[in-house]
Amino acid sequence: MEFVRVENLIFDYMKTDEGGAPVATRAIDGVSFCVEKGSFTAIIGQNGSGKSTLAKNLNGLLVPTEGEITIDGLDTSDPANIWNVRQKVAMVFQNPDNQIVSAIVEDDVAFGPENLGIDPAEIRQRVDAALEGVEMGDYKDKAPHLLSGGQKQRIAIAGAIAMQPECIVFDEPTAMLDPRGRSEVLKIALDLNRRGMTVIFITHFMEEAACADHVIVMDGGKLRMEGTPRDIFAREEELKALNLDVPAAVQLASQLRARGVDLPDSILTAEELVDALTQPVPAEAAEEVSS
Amino acid sequence: MIRDITLGQFYPGNSVIHRLDPRIKIIATLLYIVALFVVKDFAGFIAPFVLLEAVIILSKVPRRYIWRGLRPVLIIIAFTLAINLFMVRGEVLWQLGFLHITREGVHTAVFMGIRLVLLIIGSTMLTLTTRPIGLTDGIEALLSPFKKIGLPAHELAMMMTIALRFIPTLLEETDKIIKAQQARGADFESGNLFRRAKALIPILVPLFISAFRIAQDLAMAMEARCYGGNVKRTRMNAMKFARRDLIAAILFCLFLAIVVAQRVLM
Ligand SMILES: Nc1ncnc2c1ncn2[C@@H]1O[C@H](COP(=O)(O)OP(=O)(O)O)[C@@H](O)[C@H]1O
Ligand SMILES: [Mg+2]
């Protein structure tokens, strides 16, 4: 079942030049795609390719200049749907500092449900559950500015979970984190997805995109490629042309293949590469490589 | 370090004082400050001192936290003491050139010193035992009667919430900018006042830009979390006037009565 449907989306940022005349910058240019309920979709693309603009269109923070976006059947450009859409599609942003509202962790997690007008007792339950869900229960009385980047990002995720959305859009949530914070955030996103949450994960780390069911490649406001990670990362040349990399394991595998190591085409992760390499190798193939 | 400021910081706990209704705590703190100015002699400080001690003991906040709150204002206290010590005229106790200390000067300085310390510790107890949200919710509730004459009580309270949250972030940011400018050879420590003031421009401009960026991001994040002003908002910790608040209010009125009686009768 499809949850998000984007049809011919065009988005222009309006600015005024020195003379006061409006100028439009086209950030998204005719993008269409669907996101299945319960799927994990990764969006990749270089800086300025329109990923954040797309993300903000998905929960009505921005509304399409042209085209249409429906969330679970609700049109985001209809003002009557706006609160519904934002409750269904929560967002986690790149900068962990600039999305935490309150000076105490649990009060921040409560912010979303409070805005929805939920009953206090239920807010309490949701906040505790959300903080447990991101393993930050011990920090509920702490001040956010004393936490690490990864911990702050987990608080932001808890804030999203507490709204009980059906989908969470992550806009480069790992870009400002250290490797440990990065893997924690990815693990939480994957866990949420396993428990039924639809996840849209924008990233410029290809290893993270490799964990998705579905990958969308953006460039210059246009959707350039779409498919499973295996399909997308097999098209290394096309990605290179868009200034994008493939995951390290894919790259290593293709280099090994070029050197004559017999590896299957479908290798995506480090584990798969290790598995393939530790398979017993036929004697003559091994000789060929060492010579 | 610049970020070690405890001013307005909360000490998590579950004591009676923590659980009191923020509205009661805010009003009581304001009246307590007024009471300190009603006091006219040393004996008058006994009641505020006893009250403050009782609050500190009941709140279970470690004393070192309370001292820490006092530290940033020590200079102000020292300054007040010095001014009073040297400026008050009267019976001269000690003289060196144009400096002289009088009996009255010593009296006023000690008196003002006690008043200031009681005042600061008293207001620190409010912020140490009330979570920032409680504080701003309380202020919002107390200001809401003025909504009728157009006072944006909710918006003011939200601004305060955000300010409390972002003061440490902005201090950190300032620290970073100062270091970055110093790394490029900026000199903030020499020259006359005018030069030093000018040297602040390369700190303030990036700081403002960064504050605007934070504001933009935060506004987006708040909207994404369905914030739309005060329409149909609920609170996780809704303020409820409980029996302990009534008892606290009665005890506090007793305290006010003692202070006034002491002033009038003695
Ligand atoms: N607030 C804005 N006003 C004007 N132009 C913007 C704004 N935000 C982004 N843009 C422009 O839109 C394009 C897409 O930006 P963005 O969606 O942020 O890309 P990405 O997230 O992929 O880096 C860029 O060319 C950028 O300069
Ligand atoms: Mg972006």
Side-chain angles (χ1 to χ4, degrees):
Chain A
M1 203 183 91
E2 72 186 32
F3 184 71
V4 178
R5 178 178 198 87
V6 178
E7 244 169 311
N8 276 317
L9 173 66
I10 291 177
F11 187 86
D12 293 339
Y13 281 107
M14 298 308 284
K15 265 196 194 142
T16 46
D17 64 7
E18 290 99 84
V23 222
T25 323
R26 183 145 296 187
I28 308 264
D29 191 4
V31 166
S32 306
F33 64 92
C34 288
V35 171
E36 290 294 309
K37 201 174 178 68
S39 68
F40 192 117
T41 304
I43 302 180
I44 57 178
Q46 57 176 322
N47 276 340
S49 58
K51 305 182 297 294
S52 297
T53 310
L54 176 60
K56 286 171 192 160
N57 268 281
L58 292 178
N59 70 345
L61 289 176
L62 301 175
V63 286
T65 309
E66 275 174 50
E68 193 184 60
I69 299 181
T70 52
I71 303 295
D72 208 8
L74 299 171
D75 183 350
T76 62
S77 58
D78 182 351
N81 289 336
I82 203 72
W83 302 112
N84 245 329
V85 165
R86 287 189 189 156
Q87 190 272 318
K88 280 175 188 286
V89 181
M91 261 187 103
V92 175
F93 295 87
Q94 175 171 358
N95 190 323
D97 259 313
N98 303 358
Q99 53 185 322
I100 295 179
V101 185
S102 289
I104 301 284
V105 164
E106 64 172 10
D107 293 335
D108 183 74
V109 178
F111 183 72
E114 285 178 342
N115 290 335
L116 295 172
I118 309 272
D119 190 59
E122 193 186 335
I123 298 182
R124 179 83 261 169
Q125 275 176 359
R126 285 190 183 195
V127 167
D128 290 343
L131 282 170
E132 284 310 319
V134 297
E135 290 173 21
M136 288 295 286
D138 295 343
Y139 294 84
K140 66 188 172 82
D141 281 329
K142 290 276 184 296
H145 73 274
L146 301 175
L147 305 180
S148 74
Q151 290 173 325
K152 278 186 249 189
Q153 205 58 300
R154 275 147 69 186
I155 298 305
I157 297 173
I161 296 174
M163 294 175 68
Q164 299 193 339
E166 290 168 55
C167 171
I168 300 184
V169 178
F170 294 82
D171 186 1
E172 300 202 37
T174 55
M176 300 178 79
L177 305 183
D178 56 8
R180 170 139 166 237
R182 237 159 43 210
S183 67
E184 285 167 0
V185 165
L186 180 67
K187 185 178 156 286
I188 291 171
L190 287 166
D191 269 358
L192 283 168
N193 178 245
R194 207 163 300 130
R195 277 180 269 131
M197 183 82 74
T198 309
V199 172
I200 299 177
F201 201 90
I202 300 174
T203 180
H204 62 243
F205 294 102
M206 299 306 144
E207 281 71 21
E208 294 173 0
C211 301
D213 311 320
H214 195 73
V215 178
I216 288 173
V217 183
M218 298 279 298
D219 185 62
K222 292 198 164 69
L223 190 154
R224 288 300 157 95
M225 296 159 76
E226 192 180 359
T228 65
R230 254 174 248 287
D231 295 340
I232 297 288
F233 292 123
R235 293 150 74 181
E236 198 176 336
E237 292 309 313
E238 284 172 74
L239 286 170
K240 287 261 155 72
L242 300 175
N243 277 326
L244 294 170
D245 281 326
V246 295
V250 176
Q251 181 144 18
L252 185 56
S254 82
Q255 281 169 357
L256 286 171
R257 246 178 257 123
R259 295 276 205 96
V261 182
D262 182 26
L263 289 170
D265 273 340
S266 62
I267 285 175
L268 195 60
T269 64
E271 289 81 52
E272 289 172 5
L273 181 60
V274 170
D275 281 348
L277 286 173
T278 47
Q279 292 290 315
V281 182
E284 62 277 34
E287 237 160 65
E288 209 175 298
V289 173
S290 61
S291 63
Chain B
M1 262 274 289
I2 199 163
R3 58 190 276 197
D4 283 343
I5 286 187
T6 49
L7 196 78
Q9 249 185 61
F10 173 61
Y11 179 83
N14 200 25
S15 72
V16 207
I17 306 293
H18 281 83
R19 278 177 295 159
L20 281 181
D21 189 314
R23 289 170 293 190
I24 291 283
K25 284 195 272 190
I26 294 168
I27 295 176
T29 308
L30 291 176
L31 289 176
Y32 164 84
I33 291 172
V34 172
L36 287 177
F37 285 89
V38 169
V39 169
K40 273 287 177 274
D41 55 19
F42 284 109
F45 284 132
I46 295 175
F49 177 78
V50 170
L51 174 73
L52 191 57
E53 262 309 299
V55 168
I56 292 175
I57 291 168
L58 284 175
S59 74
K60 303 197 179 92
V61 176
R63 281 177 201 258
R64 68 198 149 85
Y65 277 85
I66 298 166
W67 284 120
R68 230 195 267 168
L70 206 52
R71 223 164 37 193
V73 281
L74 275 181
I75 302 170
I76 300 176
I77 295 176
F79 189 70
T80 318
L81 285 184
I83 293 228
N84 281 295
L85 205 53
F86 293 116
M87 295 300 182
V88 177
R89 292 176 191 290
E91 180 193 338
V92 176
L93 291 179
W94 179 85
Q95 186 150 18
L96 181 86
F98 66 95
L99 287 178
H100 53 80
I101 291 178
T102 63
R103 180 179 297 282
E104 287 77 7
V106 173
H107 183 274
T108 330
V110 173
F111 187 80
M112 294 293 276
I114 294 176
R115 178 181 278 166
L116 261 181
V117 170
L118 286 176
L119 190 154
I120 291 160
I121 295 183
S123 32
T124 311
M125 286 315 292
L126 174 66
T127 53
L128 279 171
T129 62
T130 317
R131 34 180 73 237
I133 281 285
L135 214 52
T136 52
D137 279 355
I139 291 172
E140 179 177 347
L142 293 175
L143 289 181
S144 59
F146 301 104
K147 271 182 191 161
K148 285 198 196 72
I149 56 163
L151 187 85
H154 171 72
E155 287 75 6
L156 283 174
M158 184 51 81
M159 278 162 61
M160 246 181 294
T161 303
I162 292 170
L164 286 173
R165 154 75 184 89
F166 280 94
I167 286 168
T169 309
L170 285 175
L171 287 176
E172 244 170 77
E173 199 72 22
T174 314
D175 222 30
K176 248 194 281 177
I177 295 170
I178 291 178
K179 291 212 176 89
Q181 303 289 32
Q182 279 173 338
R184 292 170 193 168
D187 176 12
F188 302 116
E189 263 119 42
S190 60
N192 59 25
L193 203 64
F194 182 69
R195 272 185 67 102
R196 285 199 204 188
K198 230 175 103 179
L200 286 181
I201 294 175
I203 298 175
L204 290 180
V205 172
L207 189 63
F208 267 99
I209 293 176
S210 136
F212 277 109
R213 208 198 33 241
I214 292 176
Q216 219 170 19
D217 281 4
L218 187 70
M220 213 33 120
M222 287 169 70
E223 256 193 85
R225 290 163 78 180
C226 292
Y227 181 69
N230 203 21
V231 272
K232 71 167 186 163
R233 259 195 118 217
T234 50
R235 301 297 147 92
M236 176 165 71
N237 297 307
M239 287 182 290
K240 273 201 297 281
F241 195 87
R243 213 175 60 146
R244 60 173 167 269
D245 298 306
L246 185 65
I247 296 170
I250 293 171
L251 288 175
F252 190 76
C253 288
L254 200 64
F255 157 78
L256 287 179
I258 292 172
V259 170
V260 172
Q262 200 272 341
R263 163 81 190 259
V264 175
L265 299 180
M266 302 240 173

